Amino acid sequence: MGKGTDKLYITHSEWASEDAYSASAGSGVSKSNTSNAPFKRLPFNFCAISLQPFNHPVCSPQGTIFDITNILPWLKKHGTNPVTGADLKSSDLTKLQFAKNDDGEMVDPVTFKVFTDNTHIVALKNTGNVFAYDTVERLNIKVKHWRDLVSEEEFSRKDIVTLQDPQNIESRNLSTFKYLQEGADTSTLEQQRERNDPSRNVNASALGNGASILKLSIKKQAPDINPDALASNKDSISRTLSAISSSTPKPTVSQPTTTTSSTTRNLSSIKAHGLHTTGLAAASLTSTGLTPHTTADLATLSQETYLLHPRRVRHSGYILLSISLSPSSPASNLTLELTPEFAPKACYNFLQLAKTGYYNNTPLHRNIPSFMVQGGDPTGTGKGGTSHWKKNFDDEFDGPLKFDRRGVLAMANKGKNTNSSQFFITYRSCPHLQRKHTIFGRVVDEQESWDTLQRLEKLETGEGGRPKGEVRISEAKVLVDSFEEFLREEEGKERVAREKEEVEKRGGREDERVSWTGKRVRGDGRVDEGDAGGGVGKYLKMGAEGGGGGRGKMEEWEGDGEEEPRKKVKVAGGFGNFDSW
């Protein structure tokens, strides 16, 4: 019980010492230890100036979080950090990107753990993304993977800024904030205007006739604040916020790029769902960090992912290559047919590059007779070129296409899954290239294209198969975009389905709607009279047609006389006399 001993009692000196921490400490305890100011902790999601939850968070290099609308007026007036008193500029601020769950709680974007006042929170200075330190330590620091887990941008250890450290609570102790110790005014111009407005501090409804007198006095004693200063303050905040946003790139989750405006025909109405679910139901069941989900919803595909599914787009695309065999000769045409049914990525890449003029005025840098002709490299070296996605894409070997003929169009690569922009056209069958290069089209079976291919094969070449003359693709013109045709077809189907649904809402299908007389009602509400209606009085209508002796004319019956009435047959009643028994 004693300090450093096994005694069962405490001596007087131990009780009266300065390092006594018991509730009944003696008089020798230092007054400085008992008279400390009460500890007040600033929550992690509060602005260090307004002491209110932030909406547009930014942080200083030391990790102090401010709201951009509160820190900019302070910097304009003082130019210092209100917490530490050190010099601070608006260019030193970093815009923070907090991830939130469905409930609006700030979470780690990787593990989805909810941030609390006891979470070690860090941010990356170059991207502004906010993570839990445990995530960065396990997935970045220990494995030396110095890339942002959200945007895949590189960073260094110096870019890690600590926003909240539960082991260092003094950094968020309000009693150590310099502007609070000095009693500095942190209110903005708008807040000062509201504070000096007497109408906000008086209950005018309880004044009766004195309310009008108060209004007149307010007009005479208007607050001495220049409204131009308010406008300039707002403009400076917006300019600084845009500057910080431009300097700090927004986090972009790596996902398939959406289609460009040249191909997009607005697929937002087409609800494309994959064959797999979002996985939120299973994830929320096994993790308390996720918002509970009870339905297994199908994952919504992006427009590009929906289009680039194999065997979805079956329309053939066509591209016309105008090839200049020599500077003096006119251009020769070579028409190519694309097959997106089996190689959608290669066809989509080829079409998009052709639409942007990527292949215009590019050389055919390799030409080997009885083998192939190759192009698609703007540098002309055979080592350049990039795809529509600015990165290599995978091979596509699923399909019946083979190198079994002349005029096969395929992607050139540097190995497995290294397709970019270069392509080649074969002069003969090349079975040794099967499943090594993606086939995505062929030369159209027409005389002009075959003549152009034959003239290309007969050109003189030098070392390495490079043509001696200047052979270039002067223009690559898209004749038919198969993806646009598919989208147009899908839109037509959706439009018909919507019209059918509207008709059903109004009373059933168009061909089943009839009036109470049995006449057909068209989709626009017009009643179809028809030649021979099936309703009441159709025979009267037939009789009224024509004055001659047609079959439908109602005539008087002519006969020898009146028809004799039939005699009634008497039916014996009862059981009879039992003769037939």
Side-chain angles (χ1 to χ4, degrees):
M1 187 172 182
K3 294 183 180 180
T5 65
D6 56 353
K7 295 182 295 184
L8 299 180
Y9 58 91
I10 298 176
T11 63
H12 180 273
S13 61
E14 293 174 346
W15 173 77
S17 63
E18 293 185 358
D19 57 348
Y21 298 102
S22 64
S24 59
S27 60
V29 177
S30 174
K31 293 183 179 180
S32 59
N33 293 338
T34 58
S35 62
N36 280 339
F39 175 76
K40 294 182 180 179
R41 182 175 185 175
L42 180 68
F44 77 95
N45 59 338
F46 275 51
C47 172
I49 295 181
S50 64
L51 307 182
Q52 297 295 325
F54 51 70
N55 294 321
H56 308 285
V58 295
C59 75
S60 64
Q62 292 76 26
T64 308
I65 303 179
F66 306 99
D67 195 300
I68 188 68
T69 57
N70 297 320
I71 187 61
L72 287 184
W74 175 276
L75 294 178
K76 190 176 181 180
K77 185 177 180 180
H78 301 89
T80 59
N81 190 328
V83 175
T84 62
D87 294 338
L88 182 64
K89 299 179 181 179
S90 59
S91 57
D92 298 333
L93 300 176
T94 301
K95 184 179 179 182
L96 301 179
Q97 304 285 347
F98 280 92
K100 295 184 179 181
N101 57 13
D102 295 342
D103 294 334
E105 298 173 324
M106 298 180 185
V107 297
D108 183 277
V110 179
T111 61
F112 298 105
K113 290 183 178 179
V114 179
F115 290 154
T116 64
D117 290 335
N118 298 319
T119 307
H120 193 170
I121 305 174
V122 297
L124 301 184
K125 189 183 298 183
N126 59 336
T127 63
N129 295 331
V130 181
F131 302 91
Y133 179 75
D134 295 339
T135 303
V136 176
E137 183 183 22
R138 287 187 288 109
L139 301 181
N140 291 114
I141 299 177
K142 286 187 176 180
V143 298
K144 297 182 179 181
H145 177 69
W146 300 105
R147 285 186 176 272
D148 193 309
L149 299 174
V150 175
S151 62
E152 290 293 331
E153 295 186 22
E154 294 185 359
F155 70 94
S156 61
R157 188 184 289 270
K158 297 180 180 179
D159 295 328
I160 301 177
V161 180
T162 301
L163 303 181
Q164 177 180 258
D165 187 0
Q167 303 298 327
N168 183 21
I169 57 178
E170 286 296 327
S171 61
R172 306 193 66 82
N173 187 3
L174 291 176
S175 60
T176 62
F177 286 10
K178 186 173 182 179
Y179 78 96
L180 292 178
Q181 295 174 351
E182 297 176 351
D185 185 14
T186 60
S187 59
T188 62
L189 293 177
E190 292 182 357
Q191 293 172 349
Q192 293 177 12
R193 188 175 185 180
E194 293 178 359
R195 185 180 302 170
N196 297 331
D197 189 358
S199 62
R200 295 181 178 271
N201 302 322
V202 178
N203 186 7
S205 61
L207 292 178
N209 296 332
S212 58
I213 301 175
L214 178 63
K215 292 181 181 179
L216 293 175
S217 63
I218 291 173
K219 290 181 180 180
K220 292 181 180 180
Q221 300 176 358
D224 190 14
I225 294 180
N226 187 6
D228 296 336
L230 294 175
S232 62
N233 186 30
K234 291 182 179 179
D235 294 340
S236 63
I237 290 175
S238 60
R239 286 195 302 268
T240 307
L241 187 59
S242 61
I244 294 175
S245 301
S246 60
S247 62
T248 304
K250 295 182 179 180
T252 54
V253 180
S254 56
Q255 58 184 3
T257 312
T258 55
T259 53
T260 58
S261 58
S262 58
T263 300
T264 303
R265 293 188 58 85
N266 191 9
L267 196 65
S268 60
S269 58
I270 300 177
K271 297 179 180 178
H273 296 288
L275 298 178
H276 59 280
T277 63
T278 57
L280 293 176
S284 62
L285 177 65
T286 58
S287 175
T288 58
L290 293 179
T291 303
H293 289 268
T294 57
T295 58
D297 299 327
L298 291 177
T300 302
L301 303 178
S302 64
Q303 178 171 332
E304 187 172 291
T305 306
Y306 179 77
L307 288 175
L308 300 186
H309 190 275
R311 291 181 171 83
R312 173 159 288 154
V313 180
R314 299 178 183 271
H315 302 274
S316 297
Y318 294 91
I319 288 184
L320 178 64
L321 299 182
S322 297
I323 301 177
S324 176
L325 301 178
S326 63
S328 59
S329 62
S332 302
N333 294 330
L334 183 66
T335 307
L336 302 176
E337 179 184 359
L338 308 183
T339 54
E341 181 179 359
F342 307 110
K345 291 181 182 178
C347 293
Y348 184 82
N349 174 69
F350 197 71
L351 286 168
Q352 297 306 311
L353 292 179
K355 284 184 177 182
T356 58
Y358 185 85
Y359 291 123
N360 295 347
N361 201 29
T362 57
L364 296 175
H365 59 273
R366 192 180 180 196
N367 187 18
I368 302 177
S370 299
F371 183 32
M372 61 85 194
V373 57
Q374 183 174 340
D377 180 11
T379 63
T381 60
K383 299 179 180 179
T386 180
S387 69
H388 165 68
W389 300 281
K390 307 302 180 184
K391 62 180 181 180
N392 297 334
F393 60 94
D394 296 344
D395 298 322
E396 296 171 297
F397 299 144
D398 186 16
L401 303 178
K402 296 181 179 180
F403 288 96
D404 57 354
R405 50 171 292 175
R406 177 183 175 91
V408 174
L409 176 64
M411 295 297 300
N413 56 40
K414 296 176 289 186
K416 184 179 180 181
N417 299 328
T418 58
N419 301 292
S420 56
S421 65
Q422 296 190 35
F423 63 93
F424 65 91
I425 303 173
T426 61
Y427 289 136
R428 63 175 180 86
S429 61
C430 304
H432 62 283
L433 300 179
Q434 195 66 33
R435 301 193 65 81
K436 294 181 180 179
H437 296 270
T438 300
I439 303 174
F440 66 99
R442 63 182 182 87
V443 176
V444 174
D445 193 7
E446 61 177 4
Q447 191 61 36
E448 184 180 11
S449 298
W450 291 123
D451 293 344
T452 302
L453 193 64
Q454 187 174 3
R455 286 196 292 270
L456 282 172
E457 188 177 7
K458 292 182 179 180
L459 292 176
E460 295 184 3
T461 58
E463 185 179 359
R466 182 173 294 276
K468 291 185 176 181
E470 187 176 355
V471 184
R472 290 184 173 272
I473 301 175
S474 57
E475 183 184 8
K477 183 179 180 180
V478 178
L479 302 179
V480 177
D481 189 339
S482 53
F483 298 96
E484 283 189 354
E485 293 293 327
F486 173 78
L487 293 179
R488 191 181 296 110
E489 206 174 85
E490 291 293 313
E491 287 181 355
K493 292 179 181 179
E494 281 203 345
R495 185 169 56 253
V496 173
R498 286 194 302 267
E499 293 175 356
K500 184 178 179 181
E501 184 179 356
E502 292 177 359
V503 170
E504 290 178 352
K505 289 180 179 179
R506 293 196 300 264
R509 290 184 300 181
E510 180 180 352
D511 55 349
E512 290 183 351
R513 293 185 61 198
V514 293
S515 65
W516 68 275
T517 59
K519 295 179 181 179
R520 182 178 178 183
V521 180
R522 296 292 183 180
D524 55 359
R526 181 173 51 86
V527 179
D528 189 6
E529 297 293 342
D531 295 334
V536 178
K538 62 179 180 179
Y539 298 106
L540 295 177
K541 183 178 178 181
M542 291 173 57
E545 292 178 353
R551 295 184 60 184
K553 183 179 179 181
M554 300 293 293
E555 297 180 350
E556 184 180 357
W557 180 76
E558 297 178 357
D560 296 338
E562 294 183 0
E563 183 181 2
E564 296 180 359
R566 268 189 304 182
K567 295 180 180 180
K568 294 183 179 179
V569 180
K570 293 183 179 181
V571 180
F575 295 101
N577 55 3
F578 306 102
D579 291 341
S580 60
W581 283 37

